[in-house]
Amino acid sequence: KKKKHKNKKGVSDVAKAALNKVKKNALTPADNALCRAIKSLKDATRETTDILRLTSTEVLMLTVLSSQGLPVFCDEWSGLVISETIFNEDIESDDFQIYFFAMGGVMEAAAEVWLKIAKTKLQEKLRLLEDNNHHDTATRQKLLEDIAILQKDHDAKISTLEESKKFNQNPQIFARKAVMLLEAVRKNMGPVDLQYAGEKKIRSLNKSENGLGTKILNWFHKEIIRWSKPLGIVDKAGNVLCGTSIGVDMDHLQSHDAAMMTKRDCRTVFIQVAQQSRLRSIFIKNKIERMASELIPKAMKQSTFSDDDWEDRPEWWNSESNA
């Protein structure tokens, strides 16, 4: 029994949810890291060494990847890139998989929201300038400076929407760009400690990387390598190609208005994308019955054993009552 994947299902709903998250200030560590990168130009104290310069489009792409993760690589990888590929309807794990062709639609929808917000902010300042011609010179000058910044941001958001539409039309280019961008983030964040030796060191490493542990980051690095080969983004030595739109020549239009991600922020974003991707891979690999009867109870017990500090968790997250 065969079926075609539903293309771009729920794209508008995803965009609305993203906007609601911003309004409610329900931001994740990766969201906060990307916000810091965007605000970096306004902060004179922001460090400028060992940074990754990103265009508005690349920031949005990382926002989408931080929310959804990377599609989990499999032998039928082409079906995760283009929507024409047919899958078996009886595969339960297919419900947890995501697809590059659908993510392109999500990114375009989010770009439309971004542009709408930028346009509204610009119009508000222009209206203020028009309604307050009688203001003193200093106030007027401040308004003009704000308008110049908002105009530049508005233009960048127009460019982001145009690029997002191209990615949506060509999911293979989107996939290549996403993997290369993640590899650039990984390289800029610094090394990952994988030297497990002794119980104390194991506990320390398992609690590191925002509580995710270093093994998941290593798994995700291998996942990036798995994707890079069929997508054709490896050099002659077999290394994953990486990079952003802003190169050393600084010839991109946004080169001097780029978001700047520090090593710490790169690490935060990479950790979240790795977490989302690994969780997805576990659900894809295991049937719901095994998740409910074996893996989730095991995770709850390990969480209790590790003395995890939870800001919030569902009522059923109680190992004793669940048992």
Side-chain angles (χ1 to χ4, degrees):
K1 204 172 182 181
K2 305 281 185 178
K3 73 169 181 178
K4 278 191 178 182
H5 283 306
K6 296 178 181 178
N7 195 13
K8 308 178 189 73
K9 180 182 178 182
V11 166
S12 59
D13 292 337
V14 172
K16 288 177 183 176
L19 182 57
N20 287 334
K21 183 174 74 170
V22 172
K23 287 180 177 178
K24 294 177 181 178
N25 199 31
L27 302 179
T28 65
D31 291 328
N32 287 323
L34 291 167
C35 284
R36 283 194 295 271
I38 293 171
K39 294 175 181 177
S40 56
L41 283 176
K42 300 177 184 178
D43 184 1
T45 64
R46 185 74 160 165
E47 57 184 284
T48 56
T49 56
D50 294 325
I51 60 168
L52 190 66
R53 297 179 185 273
L54 302 174
T55 64
S56 178
T57 303
E58 289 165 340
V59 170
L60 181 58
M61 184 176 287
L62 286 176
T63 301
V64 172
L65 288 165
S66 297
S67 173
Q68 301 196 346
L70 194 67
V72 180
F73 186 79
C74 63
D75 292 337
E76 295 79 25
W77 63 270
S78 61
L80 305 178
V81 178
I82 55 176
S83 59
E84 287 76 14
T85 305
I86 297 176
F87 280 80
N88 194 324
E89 191 176 32
D90 297 327
I91 299 178
E92 183 185 76
S93 61
D94 187 37
D95 294 334
F96 301 109
Q97 186 60 276
I98 53 173
Y99 311 91
F100 281 115
F101 63 82
M103 292 173 74
V106 170
M107 184 170 171
E108 182 180 335
E112 290 175 349
V113 174
W114 268 26
L115 178 57
K116 185 178 179 180
I117 294 172
K119 185 177 181 180
T120 300
K121 288 181 178 180
L122 177 60
Q123 288 175 338
E124 286 175 354
K125 287 291 183 180
L126 288 170
R127 196 177 301 114
L128 233 118
L129 182 66
E130 187 178 340
D131 296 343
N132 295 280
N133 282 326
H134 60 280
H135 272 193
D136 58 82
T137 305
T139 303
R140 183 175 175 79
Q141 183 61 33
K142 179 66 170 63
L143 273 172
L144 289 171
E145 290 173 359
D146 290 345
I147 288 170
I149 294 171
L150 291 172
Q151 183 65 62
K152 192 175 288 187
D153 180 61
H154 179 263
D155 294 343
K157 295 303 189 291
I158 291 175
S159 176
T160 295
L161 179 56
E162 290 172 351
E163 289 184 283
S164 297
K165 286 180 177 179
K166 291 178 182 178
F167 284 137
N168 193 19
Q169 292 165 2
N170 194 327
Q172 186 155 9
I173 292 179
F174 174 75
R176 288 164 58 91
K177 175 65 177 178
V179 174
M180 289 175 68
L181 181 58
L182 285 171
E183 178 64 4
V185 171
R186 186 194 69 82
K187 281 195 169 183
N188 198 67
M189 76 180 190
V192 174
D193 188 356
L194 294 171
Q195 300 300 317
Y196 282 74
E199 184 178 340
K200 188 175 181 180
K201 182 70 179 293
I202 291 173
R203 278 178 173 268
S204 175
L205 288 180
N206 285 342
K207 283 191 173 185
S208 65
E209 312 296 358
N210 289 358
L212 191 63
T214 58
K215 288 183 178 179
I216 304 300
L217 298 193
N218 188 47
W219 172 88
F220 190 52
H221 179 206
K222 292 178 180 178
E223 187 76 353
I224 288 175
I225 294 172
R226 283 189 281 269
W227 268 115
S228 67
K229 294 176 182 178
L231 289 175
I233 47 174
V234 292
D235 60 20
K236 292 181 180 179
N239 300 311
V240 184
L241 296 176
C242 68
T244 67
S245 298
I246 302 175
V248 291
D249 296 333
M250 300 286 282
D251 54 358
H252 192 279
L253 287 175
Q254 294 182 37
S255 292
H256 300 286
D257 301 291
M260 296 189 289
M261 285 185 68
T262 62
K263 296 172 78 72
R264 184 192 70 171
D265 288 339
C266 283
R267 202 173 200 90
T268 299
V269 170
F270 192 82
I271 285 170
Q272 188 161 316
V273 182
Q275 170 192 279
Q276 298 297 84
S277 305
R278 183 54 178 153
L279 278 172
R280 205 173 284 282
S281 74
I282 292 170
F283 274 86
I284 289 171
K285 182 180 179 181
N286 298 279
K287 290 185 176 295
I288 292 294
E289 292 77 13
R290 182 166 184 252
M291 292 295 301
S293 65
E294 183 180 339
L295 296 183
I296 290 179
K298 182 179 179 181
M300 290 190 290
K301 288 179 180 178
Q302 287 181 338
S303 175
T304 303
F305 176 73
S306 301
D307 295 325
D308 288 339
D309 184 20
W310 292 84
E311 181 178 321
D312 191 20
R313 58 185 182 182
E315 293 180 0
W316 53 263
W317 194 273
N318 184 301
S319 58
E320 292 180 3
S321 61
N322 190 68

